């Protein structure tokens, strides 16, 4: 039997069958446009508004503050570009971090062509944002801070509550890209002190192509698209009814069963970590203790992540690497490099990301294969 | 992403290992992109007998050095110098554009090994004169 062990859940996840089930009716029977006034349309409208309410429960916010978008990237772009452009009369300075997802980093970079300036907060060796450094970057012109909740490569949890408090005291808008926090950490926006928060459905067992943006009432980002009145014109275009129903369902399931997921995945992650540390020498952990329970990032010193990736693929194991080439560029991961690691270490980094479907047997099989693959590749490496 | 030939060479790379008493060594690499290889050359009479290499790294670099060493084994120095990275990539059934530099690395390694060999020969001659 062909084995398949999927340990790349920070890249994307398998859609939960319960989620698929909840969506089917809206493809087959209730296919109306929510803006239509007859019954078929109004049934779709009810489904969308019901989904909005369910998401609002998880986020501890008003349903009117929940917006459905096309992706996490889109949510990030609306939050960052939309808010900066709307409030540029108040100031033109933005703060982000060195380890953000490109959806935020490239948005901020783009804004610098429109007269904005920005600074990036450093992270420590543990991959966690240095709050004191961030504070020192704040200027009178700072209007927006955008810091991710949990890092996609290392799983490091960022001090969002604390940064949110700092931003609030100074009247600076605060956005968090919470894409990797969904289903793993609380998304209570009041507790987190955030003004805006982005989510991506396919990271928590909903389909690809659906995102969520929370924005506090009173903040009015300039939309990326212009069109109809949908989503209060923050994100015009006919609502993607089945996906909206699906993403709400997936979020609900993620938090309904979160205790169970946390217990099981924490145990499996520790097992994987211990197994790798026991069996393989000369490694470096890139994941700090304060991290999401599904992510483990390890550097196998002296060899390259891509070789490990392809070799594990031969055994049906899917992982990802912070090495150059997977991203199509030749630079090592900006996240691992920001932690002060050298190029060699960054190129040897491998990320294992678990999900609720990961089993103990899969973890044991993976430990075994990682061991033999690393040994084999190290044999042909000139690195000493 | 990679051709079948690349994957075959990646799985079972040829001419791997450290060579004892090489007549020339070429060490090339770019730690920023994560590739490094050492090419060893051994001279046998007028012909270059064998190339061996040790390398770290990604699929394309491993496959390129494997193919390159296959191609130049038993060739004369002039023939080896004439080998281009494009030929290596073509023999591998092509490389993705972002990985072409891996084949350049192998070509550079060969040239450097030959240069090293010539330098050593030169030094030997000078020693004899003295």
């Amino acid at each position: 039997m062909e084995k398949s062990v999927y340990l790349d859940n920070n890249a994307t996840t398998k859609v939960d069958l319960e989620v698929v089930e909840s969506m089917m009716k809206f493809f087959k029977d209730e296919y109306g446009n929510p803006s239509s006034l007859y019954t078929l349309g109004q049934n779709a409208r009810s489904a969308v508004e019901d989904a909005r309410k369910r998401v609002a429960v998880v986020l501890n916010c008003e349903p009117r503050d929940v917006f459905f978008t096309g992706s996490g990237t889109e949510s990030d772009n609306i939050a960052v570009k939309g808010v900066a452009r709307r409030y540029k009369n108040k100031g033109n300075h933005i703060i982000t971090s060195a380890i953000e997802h490109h959806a935020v980093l490239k948005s901020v970079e783009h804004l610098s062509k429109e007269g904005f300036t920005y600074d990036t907060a450093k992270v420590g060796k543990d991959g966690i944002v240095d709050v004191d450094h961030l504070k020192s970057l704040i200027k009178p012109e700072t209007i927006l801070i955008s810091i991710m909740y949990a890092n996609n490569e290392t799983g490091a949890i960022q001090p969002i509550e604390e940064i949110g408090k700092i931003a609030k005291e100074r009247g600076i808008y605060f956005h968090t890209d919470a894409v990797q926090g969904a289903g793993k950490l609380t998304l209570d926006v009041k507790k987190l002190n955030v003004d805006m928060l982005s989510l991506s459905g396919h990271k928590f067992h909903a389909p690809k192509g659906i995102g969520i943006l929370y924005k506090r009432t009173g903040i009015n980002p300039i939309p990326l698209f212009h069109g109809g009145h949908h989503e209060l014109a923050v994100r015009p275009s006919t609502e993607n009814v089945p996906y909206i129903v699906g993403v709400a369902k997936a979020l609900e399931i993620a938090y309904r069963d979160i205790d169970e997921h946390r217990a099981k995945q924490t145990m499996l992650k520790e097992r994987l970590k211990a197994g790798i540390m026991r069996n393989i020498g000369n490694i470096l952990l890139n994941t700090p203790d304060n991290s999401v329970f599904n992510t483990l990032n390890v550097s196998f010193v002296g060899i390259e992540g891509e070789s490990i990736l392809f070799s594990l693929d031969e055994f049906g194991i899917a992982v990802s690497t912070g090495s150059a080439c997977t991203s199509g560029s030749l630079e090592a991961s900006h996240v691992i490099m920001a932690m002060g690691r050298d190029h060699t270490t960054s190129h040897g980094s491998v990320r294992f990301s678990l999900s609720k479907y990961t089993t103990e047997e899969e973890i044991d099989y993976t430990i075994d294969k990682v061991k033999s693959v690393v040994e084999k590749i190290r044999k042909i490496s000139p690195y000493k | 992403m990679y051709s079948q030939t690349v994957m075959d060479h990646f799985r079972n790379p040829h001419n791997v290992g450290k060579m004892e008493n090489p007549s020339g060594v070429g060490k090339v690499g770019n730690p920023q992109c994560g590739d490094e290889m050492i090419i060893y050359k051994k001279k046998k009479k007028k012909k270059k007998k064998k190339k061996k290499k040790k390398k770290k790294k990604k699929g394309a670099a491993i496959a390129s050095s494997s193919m390159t060493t296959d191609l130049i084994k038993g060739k004369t120095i002039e023939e080896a110098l004439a080998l281009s990275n494009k030929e290596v990539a073509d023999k591998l059934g092509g490389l993705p554009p972002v990985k072409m530099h891996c084949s350049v690395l192998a070509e550079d390694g060969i040239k450097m090994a030959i240069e090293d060999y010539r330098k050593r020969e030169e030094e030997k001659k000078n020693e004899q004169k003295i």
Side-chain angles (χ1 to χ4, degrees):
Chain A
M1 191 191 88
E2 185 79 357
K3 233 183 152 58
S4 160
V5 178
Y6 187 71
L7 295 178
D8 200 16
N9 289 279
N10 287 8
T12 194
T13 58
K14 177 172 163 177
V15 181
D16 189 318
L17 284 180
E18 219 182 311
V19 171
V20 176
E21 206 54 49
S22 74
M23 295 167 63
M24 292 313 287
K25 186 169 101 180
F26 299 93
F27 288 114
K28 294 195 296 198
D29 309 314
E30 301 287 359
Y31 49 79
N33 185 324
S35 296
S36 300
L37 298 178
Y38 39 79
T39 307
L40 191 70
Q42 288 310 296
N43 288 348
R45 169 59 58 204
S46 312
V48 168
E49 297 316 319
D50 178 58
R52 203 184 307 280
K53 277 184 205 145
R54 289 158 182 257
V55 172
V57 169
V58 174
L59 271 51
N60 187 25
C61 68
E62 295 300 320
R64 66 165 186 271
D65 294 339
V66 173
F67 297 82
F68 294 107
T69 70
S71 63
T73 293
E74 196 189 321
S75 297
D76 284 343
N77 271 264
I78 296 173
V80 173
K81 290 183 190 158
V83 164
R85 286 169 180 164
R86 174 71 76 195
Y87 300 105
K88 70 175 169 198
N89 56 335
K90 292 190 182 175
N92 69 342
H93 183 246
I94 301 162
I95 297 173
T96 184
S97 83
I99 56 163
E100 294 303 305
H101 188 273
H102 283 134
V104 167
L105 280 183
K106 298 283 175 187
S107 291
V108 173
E109 271 173 36
H110 180 80
L111 285 171
S112 68
K113 292 180 199 148
E114 296 180 11
F116 291 90
T117 60
Y118 70 94
D119 281 300
T120 47
K122 290 189 297 200
V123 298
K125 283 200 178 335
D126 53 5
I128 296 173
V129 169
D130 180 338
V131 178
D132 287 332
H133 182 243
L134 184 144
K135 257 192 196 166
S136 75
L137 297 173
I138 297 175
K139 303 180 193 181
E141 309 84 76
T142 307
I143 50 167
L144 173 69
I145 299 176
S146 180
I147 304 288
M148 70 196 336
Y149 195 178
N151 182 265
N152 46 314
E153 290 188 40
T154 66
I157 301 171
Q158 307 302 323
I160 294 308
E161 270 184 67
E162 196 186 344
I163 298 168
K165 201 162 157 264
I166 294 166
K168 199 182 268 178
E169 283 164 7
R170 290 164 175 76
I172 301 166
Y173 294 116
F174 182 42
H175 164 251
T176 189
D177 172 346
V179 165
Q180 298 293 345
K184 302 160 200 167
L185 305 168
T186 178
L187 292 182
D188 181 332
V189 295
K190 297 204 173 70
K191 187 168 178 291
L192 292 173
N193 296 322
V194 296
D195 295 313
M196 292 168 285
L197 176 146
S198 307
L199 294 173
S200 172
H202 74 107
K203 308 290 190 190
F204 51 91
H205 306 288
K208 293 157 190 68
I210 180 80
I212 294 172
L213 173 67
Y214 156 79
K215 70 157 195 72
R216 179 166 62 72
T217 307
I219 298 179
N220 297 303
I222 292 181
L224 300 175
F225 310 146
H226 297 87
H229 58 278
H230 321 87
E231 301 297 294
L232 304 179
V234 168
R235 203 274 185 175
S237 75
T238 300
E239 296 87 342
N240 188 351
V241 183
Y243 280 50
I244 287 171
V245 169
V247 79
K249 184 75 183 169
L251 197 64
E252 217 169 46
I253 295 170
Y255 285 88
R256 180 189 73 197
D257 305 335
I258 190 168
D259 291 337
E260 186 191 316
H261 297 161
R262 185 188 298 114
K264 184 181 159 202
Q265 289 173 58
T266 303
M267 186 273 285
L268 292 177
K269 173 178 156 177
E270 288 307 316
R271 192 181 180 90
L272 178 62
K273 186 168 141 186
I276 289 173
M277 290 175 77
R278 195 170 49 238
N279 288 294
I280 306 166
N282 208 1
I283 62 161
L284 213 64
L285 288 179
N286 299 316
T287 296
D289 289 341
N290 190 20
S291 55
V292 285
F293 56 70
N294 80 319
T295 309
L296 181 70
N297 189 310
V298 183
S299 282
F300 299 92
V301 180
I303 54 178
E304 215 254 352
E306 198 201 78
S307 298
I308 303 173
L309 185 155
F310 282 120
S311 302
L312 288 176
D313 188 37
E314 309 257 297
F315 294 111
I317 301 170
V319 297
S320 77
T321 166
S323 165
C325 310
T326 35
S327 57
S329 78
L330 294 177
E331 284 157 30
S333 151
H334 69 285
V335 175
I336 310 289
M337 293 296 289
M339 292 161 65
R341 309 275 200 264
D342 60 14
H343 281 99
T344 307
T345 312
S346 300
H347 282 296
S349 74
V350 174
R351 178 186 71 187
F352 304 88
S353 48
L354 287 52
S355 81
K356 60 180 177 182
Y357 300 117
T358 309
T359 66
E360 195 170 310
E361 190 216 336
E362 289 176 341
I363 292 297
D364 290 346
Y365 173 78
T366 302
I367 295 168
D368 185 51
K369 296 303 174 203
V370 169
K371 181 175 185 277
S372 58
V373 158
V374 169
E375 272 169 12
K376 186 185 162 205
I377 303 172
R378 275 189 175 157
K379 260 188 207 145
I380 62 168
S381 167
Y383 180 87
K384 285 286 168 290
Chain B
M1 163 171 161
Y2 287 135
S3 71
Q4 200 52 50
T5 319
V6 172
M7 288 312 285
D8 288 345
H9 279 267
F10 169 66
R11 282 187 200 108
N12 297 303
H14 307 166
N15 314 313
V16 183
K18 191 168 192 291
M19 185 187 276
E20 294 306 322
N21 306 317
S23 42
V25 179
K27 189 176 171 189
V28 285
N30 173 2
Q32 295 212 346
C33 97
D35 288 317
E36 209 178 322
M37 60 179 88
I38 302 177
I39 299 221
Y40 302 98
K41 152 185 194 317
K42 198 144 207 166
K43 189 198 157 195
K44 199 178 183 186
K45 289 176 186 163
K46 288 267 155 132
K47 298 252 175 171
K48 187 175 319 158
K49 169 84 164 77
K50 203 177 182 185
K51 293 274 185 180
K52 266 186 129 181
K53 43 79 213 8
K54 285 207 85 173
K55 72 236 148 324
K56 135 179 185 200
K57 309 308 179 142
K58 62 185 71 120
I62 293 175
S64 294
S65 50
S66 176
M67 177 59 84
T68 304
T69 48
D70 272 0
L71 289 173
I72 60 169
K73 231 194 281 186
K75 295 269 174 66
T76 64
I77 283 179
E78 286 64 34
E79 285 167 336
L81 281 173
L83 183 73
S84 74
N85 77 296
K86 192 171 175 309
E87 274 173 72
V88 175
D90 288 348
K91 285 270 187 205
L92 285 169
L95 281 173
V98 294
K99 303 299 174 71
M100 278 306 281
H101 68 283
C102 296
S103 60
V104 176
L105 213 55
E107 184 191 321
D108 289 350
I110 298 297
K111 292 194 168 133
M112 203 184 280
I114 292 173
E115 209 174 288
D116 183 51
Y117 159 73
R118 284 180 168 161
K119 215 172 85 194
R120 289 183 193 202
E121 291 292 295
E122 200 65 32
E123 280 165 10
K124 262 191 229 162
K125 265 189 221 160
N126 291 343
E127 272 168 34
Q128 280 163 1
K129 276 180 199 161
I130 297 163

